[in-house]
Amino acid sequence: MPLDFLKRRGRGEGQPGSTAPPPLGSAALPEEVVAAEYQLKLYYAGKSSEGVRMKAGPTALTELPGMLVGLAKSEIEVVDPLPIEFSQATPVIARPSEAMQWLNAHHAHSPVTRHALVVLESIDAIDLAFDTFVCSLLDGEIDTSDYPEYNAIVGGVASHWDEATGDMIVCAVVGWGGRGVRGDTDRTGSRLLAGLLTNILASQYSMGLTAVERPVPAAGRGGLVCAHCGFASAHERAFYCPKCGMRLLRG
Ligand SMILES: [Zn+2]
């Protein structure tokens, strides 16, 4: 430790008339503390539509990327539901175990998709415990590192399997945000949501709008393994494999 350096600090250097160091403990608290202020305002927002019921079984999954055609401004990526080893994945870097799971699950995706996951998972608009998420840049620009600007809009469609019927339920979902907000982003987001919903309803398998009842994960550890695709579900209530949509066999 360079002690000379420490001695040079706080000894009244630069104060006129200061010839000796002030005695320890004599510094009175000033009447008003001069504080340096620091602040970061992060703003995330998003919208999801009503659900559209699809009657096709697992083959309807192949329809999902096509629902972004005409609206996507970047590559369309599919994010599968997370298997049980990633059941704690959270995009919060201060929680290293959860963050590491999240990175391990998503590091291979594009910057647009990772940004979309951070925004939409942070505001709870999608849940990868049961959602399949199909994503693209929908509006705005990306920066020089290929990450969307704060006023860019990302999103696409999210689907899950209705626990009562096994039908696929598809919603349109959009999100945006970061270090700032722009006045017209909300309106553009609504327009894009309507465009996506139109595309979903135009699917050959569409049976029309339905209320969305999100499956609620139970507190237990889940762990049913799909006999059809081998996916280990972390979802206690999953009668239908979140990944392939086939009926899970219990017992
Ligand atoms: Zn499966």
Side-chain angles (χ1 to χ4, degrees):
M1 179 65 73
L3 291 173
D4 287 350
F5 172 76
L6 289 173
K7 281 176 189 164
R8 284 200 302 272
R9 305 278 299 191
R11 289 290 181 101
E13 267 188 354
Q15 290 177 17
S18 168
T19 53
L24 287 174
S26 71
L29 190 67
E31 275 183 34
E32 202 171 323
V33 176
V34 178
E37 307 273 355
Y38 306 92
Q39 193 175 65
L40 168 64
K41 285 188 178 175
L42 279 178
Y43 178 90
Y44 291 150
K47 298 171 188 285
S48 69
S49 73
E50 288 177 277
V52 177
R53 187 175 295 276
M54 300 279 169
K55 201 73 176 180
T59 54
L61 273 175
T62 58
E63 291 275 298
L64 296 177
M67 295 169 184
L68 276 66
V69 169
L71 296 167
K73 293 180 72 178
S74 70
E75 186 194 347
I76 297 168
E77 262 192 297
V78 178
V79 183
D80 288 325
L82 293 179
I84 190 162
E85 62 265 33
F86 298 128
S87 58
Q88 303 296 317
T90 309
V92 177
I93 200 168
R95 301 182 180 187
S97 171
E98 290 90 334
M100 195 65 78
Q101 278 194 18
W102 194 90
L103 283 173
N104 285 335
H106 300 304
H107 68 91
H109 293 305
S110 72
V112 167
T113 296
R114 269 199 305 279
H115 172 84
L117 290 172
V118 169
V119 171
L120 295 170
E121 286 188 78
S122 297
I123 62 177
D124 207 22
I126 58 171
D127 188 339
L128 293 180
F130 47 81
D131 277 329
T132 297
F133 177 50
V134 183
C135 173
S136 170
L137 181 73
L138 301 174
D139 186 71
E141 307 294 328
I142 53 173
D143 65 18
T144 51
S145 305
D146 296 335
Y147 285 87
E149 302 279 7
Y150 71 90
N151 57 349
I153 298 176
V154 292
V157 297
S159 78
H160 69 268
W161 305 98
D162 180 15
E163 288 295 286
T165 63
D167 294 337
M168 190 170 77
I169 309 291
V170 186
C171 303
V173 57
V174 298
W176 61 90
R179 299 185 178 198
V181 61
R182 236 176 68 167
D184 59 349
T185 308
D186 192 278
R187 191 154 30 96
T188 309
S190 292
R191 179 172 56 75
L192 287 164
L193 195 75
L196 288 164
L197 186 58
T198 302
N199 285 0
I200 299 169
L201 285 166
S203 162
Q204 58 178 320
Y205 301 118
S206 163
M207 298 194 300
L209 294 173
T210 183
V212 177
E213 262 186 69
R214 298 171 103 193
V216 179
R221 291 190 57 83
L224 282 174
V225 177
C226 176
H228 307 280
C229 73
F231 183 79
S233 173
H235 204 270
E236 192 71 39
R237 260 189 66 196
F239 293 115
Y240 296 90
C241 171
K243 187 159 186 176
C244 75
M246 300 291 279
R247 179 100 187 166
L248 288 168
L249 305 171
R250 286 180 183 265

